[in-house]
Amino acid sequence: MAKPEFDDIYMELAVNIAKRSHCIKAQVGAVLARDTRIISIGYNGPPSGTHNCDEEFPEHGCARDSKGSCSLALHAEQNAILFAAKNGSQVDGATLYVTLSPCIACARIIFSMKISKVVFLDSYAQYKGLVADEGVEFLRKFGVEVIQYDKNRLSHLFK
């Protein structure tokens, strides 16, 4: 039996971590890893100690901001990076596995934290109905390797 690749392990974990999200609109998971070791994990949702959208606002979710995004939530990438930084973990040179490609705001954080590679499952632009994946374009423009993960490698999770 062939051993799974680390990319497969980390993306599968990101998919499962996403299930912890309290967001009723989209559940996103992230795994931050370096040298075959997990540094941090995160999923999208409001900061700890505030509201859980699926519990407090089960019909419509939390209030939306002027751009139509959740007014409370941190993105999965933000949560993973913040947790790592809070705990003194070095993230420079790490790889971020995320179930939805980074938005432009997350891309700026990823670049600023010197994360060297992003592997994503689904397109943020397609999810939001945007023309382009601005976050992906930004990261590539400034030298961060960005790869879309082949969803067929995890077909057993989507049956």
Side-chain angles (χ1 to χ4, degrees):
M1 179 185 223
K3 292 184 187 211
E5 299 291 325
F6 280 104
D7 281 355
D8 301 326
I9 292 168
Y10 296 146
M11 189 56 76
E12 186 169 341
L13 179 57
V15 167
N16 282 311
I17 291 295
K19 295 173 187 173
R20 294 285 309 156
S21 172
H22 288 276
C23 182
I24 65 168
K25 303 275 183 186
Q27 295 182 314
V28 182
V31 174
L32 193 57
R34 184 180 50 233
D35 301 328
T36 71
R37 298 287 184 234
I38 295 171
I39 299 169
S40 183
I41 60 172
Y43 52 88
N44 63 317
S48 181
T50 62
H51 301 280
N52 285 329
C53 300
D54 59 344
E55 296 167 357
E56 303 240 0
F57 317 105
E59 296 86 31
H60 306 290
C62 63
R64 311 318 268 173
D65 66 16
S66 62
K67 294 181 181 179
S69 296
C70 176
S71 62
L72 290 174
L74 294 167
H75 289 188
E77 308 94 313
Q78 294 169 338
N79 269 325
I81 293 166
L82 286 168
F83 184 82
K86 180 179 175 183
N87 290 290
S89 298
Q90 295 296 318
V91 300
D92 55 307
T95 298
L96 179 68
Y97 297 85
V98 63
T99 59
L100 195 61
S101 62
C103 68
I104 188 67
C106 287
R108 289 190 289 257
I109 293 168
I110 290 164
F111 176 78
S112 297
M113 295 300 291
K114 296 184 169 62
I115 293 169
S116 61
K117 183 177 178 182
V118 175
V119 180
F120 71 92
L121 190 61
D122 293 316
S123 164
Y124 182 81
Q126 284 182 324
Y127 164 70
K128 285 293 220 175
L130 303 172
V131 176
D133 262 310
E134 295 173 318
V136 170
E137 290 175 1
F138 174 90
L139 291 168
R140 286 181 176 151
K141 178 178 180 176
F142 293 105
V144 177
E145 183 181 3
V146 182
I147 298 168
Q148 184 163 15
Y149 183 84
D150 180 3
K151 200 171 196 168
N152 292 324
R153 293 172 65 171
L154 294 181
S155 60
H156 63 282
L157 293 177
F158 304 104
K159 289 183 180 179

